Amino acid sequence: MTTSERLIQSTRELLWERGYVGTSPKAILERAGAGQGSMYHHFKGKPDLALAAIRRTAEEMRATAEGVLGGPGTPYERIVGYLRRERDVLRGCPIGRLTMDPDVIASDELRAPVDETLDWLRERLAGIVEEGQRRGEFAPGLDGEEIAAAIVATVQGGYVLARASGLPSAFDAGVRGLLSLLAPPTASPTASTA
């Protein structure tokens, strides 16, 4: 891995663990095993490196979600797959946590990849709900955009509940509840979550 890649990866990890303010250039360099001048050789400074790290995290989140949402199965099965995919729920969402960081939210540049990713996710989920409606899997009266927002809110809220209680089961309970509301008449939403 190149020095530039190590710096980006280290910054991603630190932003997830500590937030923007808690991610010092010194901590980045130590975690990356890079020399003092390395960051400024590859990046203009901490904001530039943080932007590269946030963009990379956003790209990976979109790719992971698309791997499930664009995969095989009915629209409901793909939503189930997305909600039940492997997650470190006690660690929280690396993108969702950035929305709680006042320094990221105050910066239009740093916030942009976060907004774009959440917008993409809502649009993608809304399209799947609408596909399910066309196929008769979901009730025709559902609003795809509202259901997509509820799915995203359930995931992000599930992270918060799990972190607050220290129990992954808090995340799973929210997922089971949402799936029971969305389940087509023939689906069984009560199967256990991973």
Side-chain angles (χ1 to χ4, degrees):
M1 185 182 299
T2 65
T3 301
S4 174
E5 285 299 312
R6 288 196 325 269
L7 290 166
I8 291 171
Q9 185 59 32
S10 296
T11 304
R12 290 177 63 199
E13 293 167 5
L14 289 164
L15 286 171
W16 196 1
E17 294 167 15
R18 304 178 184 181
Y20 186 81
V21 170
T23 300
S24 68
K26 181 180 178 185
I28 294 168
L29 293 170
E30 285 175 5
R31 180 147 320 175
Q36 194 159 3
S38 297
M39 184 165 78
Y40 299 100
H41 174 73
H42 296 284
F43 301 95
K44 294 174 192 165
K46 178 182 165 182
D48 188 42
L49 177 53
L51 180 60
I54 292 168
R55 283 182 177 152
R56 180 74 53 83
T57 297
E59 289 165 8
E60 283 190 14
M61 182 180 161
R62 284 191 302 269
T64 299
E66 183 56 34
V68 177
L69 297 173
T74 66
Y76 179 76
E77 289 168 345
R78 288 182 281 149
I79 289 171
V80 169
Y82 170 73
L83 288 169
R84 292 190 174 159
R85 76 169 178 76
E86 182 85 20
R87 288 180 167 86
D88 186 353
V89 296
L90 295 180
R91 200 164 173 212
C93 174
I95 290 292
R97 289 191 66 182
L98 291 170
T99 67
M100 304 301 279
D101 190 312
D103 293 286
V104 172
I105 295 305
S107 166
D108 290 342
E109 192 173 31
L110 294 177
R111 189 180 66 245
V114 175
D115 287 344
E116 290 163 7
T117 299
L118 293 173
D119 287 347
W120 172 86
L121 183 58
R122 284 191 304 269
E123 288 173 18
R124 186 69 174 97
L125 287 164
I128 291 170
V129 170
E130 290 160 6
E131 176 189 343
Q133 289 173 308
R134 288 190 299 276
R135 295 173 58 162
E137 192 173 12
F138 295 127
L142 293 178
D143 183 299
E145 290 179 12
E146 289 177 359
I147 298 301
I151 293 168
V152 173
T154 297
V155 170
Q156 294 303 318
Y159 282 122
V160 170
L161 293 174
R163 285 176 56 86
S165 68
L167 299 170
S169 59
F171 182 95
D172 297 339
V175 166
R176 283 192 308 273
L178 178 61
L179 290 176
S180 70
L181 294 172
L182 289 178
T186 58
S188 173
T190 57
S192 67
T193 60

